[in-house]
Amino acid sequence: MLDYDEEARRYDASRGGEPRARAAADAVERLLPGGPCVVLDIACGTGIVTERLRRPGRTVVGVDRSPGMLGLAGRRMPGGVVRGDATRLPCAAASVDAVVIVWLIHLLPDPEAVLAEAARVLRPGGVLITTVDKNDAYFTEDSDIARITAELRHRHAPQVSDRSARVLGAAADLGLEPTDRTEFPGIGQGRSPRSWCEAIDAGFILWCTHASPDQVADVRRRLAALPDQDVARPDPQYRLVALRA
């Protein structure tokens, strides 16, 4: 896992910056309860999304365990952030109306513990909003890259922790029921054929690390043969689900 203290200063710029944050916040907003409420944003990072959730009558608190991230979040939301671990939230039981978890579950070996803690702090009728299926985001829309990689992706799909089936199953065990879902674009994050080849060579693509060298070499060769090597294909489409206590 990344050293988020070290990563903090370049985190936003390397992940779509203000445009992606705006798209994410708009999507979360569509799933949040209306009217006065208390919202807890777990793993708020630099606060670039969190600050956009503030509204008159709505209290928004960001929590993160990285001092580097919280330093930046605190500048955006003075007095609105607190240091804490997602598995031991500094909140009383049944004390918040909504919990937001964006781009965290896919990093965890045990997402069930974080989901259980989120359920603990939710009031009855409260809503948990989380991203799911991050690995599928680049292939929501059809493209030549999606078609070339489809067989390898499906055959060697890693057992990721944010798979919808796993998240929804764990949520059901906690008494959380799915009520809604939406998507938002990773603006400016579409990858070109050349950048996909570079990511494969660097070992960043999980379904390639599980395939045979010959299979990977074939996919890489076909990607390298595509036209417009430096033209980005469609932006990823990230998925959010809402689960009600």
Side-chain angles (χ1 to χ4, degrees):
M1 189 176 290
L2 287 176
D3 181 337
Y4 284 95
D5 290 333
E6 176 67 24
E7 187 75 6
R9 290 186 179 180
R10 57 179 175 266
Y11 188 85
D12 293 341
S14 66
R15 288 162 176 80
E18 298 287 343
R20 190 180 81 159
R22 190 178 306 112
D26 289 347
V28 170
E29 185 66 36
R30 294 194 289 271
L31 302 178
L32 283 172
C37 62
V38 177
V39 177
L40 181 68
D41 186 11
I42 298 177
C44 68
T46 67
I48 193 171
V49 174
T50 320
E51 68 166 340
R52 287 176 164 79
L53 303 179
R54 292 182 293 181
R55 298 286 186 279
R58 179 189 292 168
T59 300
V60 179
V61 178
V63 59
D64 204 288
R65 69 179 185 180
S66 163
M69 290 289 191
L70 284 178
L72 297 176
R75 297 177 196 172
R76 289 185 163 115
M77 300 177 56
V81 299
V82 62
R83 189 177 183 189
D85 191 283
T87 61
R88 296 184 299 278
L89 294 171
C91 304
S95 62
V96 303
D97 300 289
V99 172
V100 176
I101 309 176
V102 176
W103 300 308
L104 173 64
I105 297 295
H106 70 285
L107 298 172
L108 304 174
D110 180 21
E112 289 79 8
V114 171
L115 295 172
E117 185 67 350
R120 180 186 71 81
V121 303
L122 275 177
R123 292 177 178 139
V127 63
L128 166 62
I129 299 166
T130 183
T131 44
V132 294
D133 299 322
K134 188 172 186 288
N135 278 359
D136 295 337
Y138 280 95
F139 309 106
T140 302
E141 295 188 33
D142 182 46
S143 71
D144 48 5
I145 291 175
R147 292 189 292 274
I148 284 173
T149 60
E151 183 178 358
L152 208 61
R153 286 188 287 110
H154 296 152
R155 183 182 298 177
H156 299 285
Q159 298 301 309
V160 291
S161 54
D162 73 334
R163 182 69 63 188
S164 288
R166 180 173 180 177
V167 172
L168 295 179
D173 291 341
L174 296 165
L176 301 173
E177 298 181 355
T179 60
D180 206 350
R181 62 175 55 230
T182 191
E183 295 183 352
F184 63 94
I187 297 172
Q189 291 193 299
R191 287 175 172 169
S192 68
R194 194 184 310 280
S195 64
W196 271 105
C197 287
E198 290 170 351
I200 290 171
D201 292 345
F204 294 152
I205 309 303
L206 291 179
W207 38 266
C208 282
T209 62
H210 291 81
S212 72
D214 287 345
Q215 290 172 322
V216 174
D218 178 62
V219 165
R220 194 196 181 288
R221 176 187 56 77
R222 293 167 65 194
L223 289 171
L226 287 174
D228 303 318
Q229 278 290 298
D230 294 310
V231 175
R233 288 355 187 221
D235 287 334
Q237 294 289 322
Y238 296 108
R239 299 170 184 166
L240 280 170
V241 296
L243 307 158
R244 191 168 301 280

